[in-house]
Amino acid sequence: MTARLASVALEACAKVIDGKYVAKQIRDEISTEASRMKEAIGVVPGSAEILVGDRKDSATNVHNKKKACESVGINSFEVHLPADSKEEDVLKFISGFNDEPSVHGILVHLPPSSHMNEQSILNAVTIKKDVDGFHPLNIGRLAMRGGKLLFVPCTP
């Protein structure tokens, strides 16, 4: 009897979520905000992605993010470097995006090539544009109760 009551209680709490509908609502909100920014202050939000190597899953992710950005009025910049690129090349692109006023967020796809220092690459992204929340200061702020995050990471 107790197990049955627990089952009934769980069923009463369950809610089916229409993911496509929720995603459309979020896209519509982002599109509205991007339009408002452009009209109010003449700024179009910009996102930059850096991919090193030829991982198909990461390439698909970059492609999908680019399409999503375009659909809501966000400029999308991407750099795709060969797996044998030098770490300095990646750091130069990060530095360039850090300094570029039309780029407001930077994502470096992980893991980079095995010969690269992942932490060095993540540390190079300015905290103000670290949308993944991997910069050491963002990680520390996330761990602190009441810490002020510049970006809340999209993944737990």
Side-chain angles (χ1 to χ4, degrees):
M1 184 82 156
T2 306
R4 187 167 193 272
L5 286 175
S7 174
V8 170
L10 283 175
E11 286 177 24
C13 294
K15 182 178 180 181
V16 176
I17 298 173
D18 183 345
K20 288 182 181 181
Y21 175 75
V22 172
K24 183 182 179 329
Q25 284 183 309
I26 292 169
R27 280 192 307 274
D28 289 347
E29 288 174 22
I30 292 170
S31 182
T32 299
E33 286 301 312
S35 293
R36 283 186 190 153
M37 277 182 69
K38 185 176 180 181
E39 290 173 19
I41 58 176
V43 173
V44 175
S47 173
E49 298 201 37
I50 299 172
L51 174 62
V52 181
D54 56 0
R55 289 183 48 159
K56 288 186 180 187
D57 58 338
S58 292
T60 299
N61 195 348
V62 169
H63 175 75
N64 289 339
K65 285 180 185 178
K66 184 176 181 83
K67 279 178 42 179
C69 283
E70 289 172 356
S71 76
V72 296
I74 295 175
N75 288 331
S76 179
F77 307 91
E78 73 179 68
V79 173
H80 189 163
L81 298 169
D84 62 352
S85 296
K86 295 179 182 177
E87 184 175 322
E88 299 85 54
D89 295 334
V90 177
L91 294 173
K92 283 180 190 175
F93 278 105
I94 292 171
S95 178
F97 286 138
N98 281 340
D99 295 338
E100 175 56 52
S102 64
V103 171
H104 303 94
I106 301 170
L107 297 104
V108 180
H109 286 264
L110 301 176
S113 291
S114 59
H115 65 280
M116 295 182 186
N117 182 323
E118 183 175 299
Q119 199 58 52
S120 173
I121 290 170
L122 294 176
N123 291 349
V125 176
T126 181
I127 190 171
K128 293 178 182 178
K129 297 184 180 187
D130 174 33
V131 296
D132 276 330
F134 290 150
H135 189 282
L137 292 175
N138 273 333
I139 291 173
R141 287 177 176 174
L142 181 63
M144 291 173 45
R145 185 172 289 170
K148 289 189 173 191
L149 297 172
L150 293 173
F151 290 100
V152 177
C154 63
T155 54

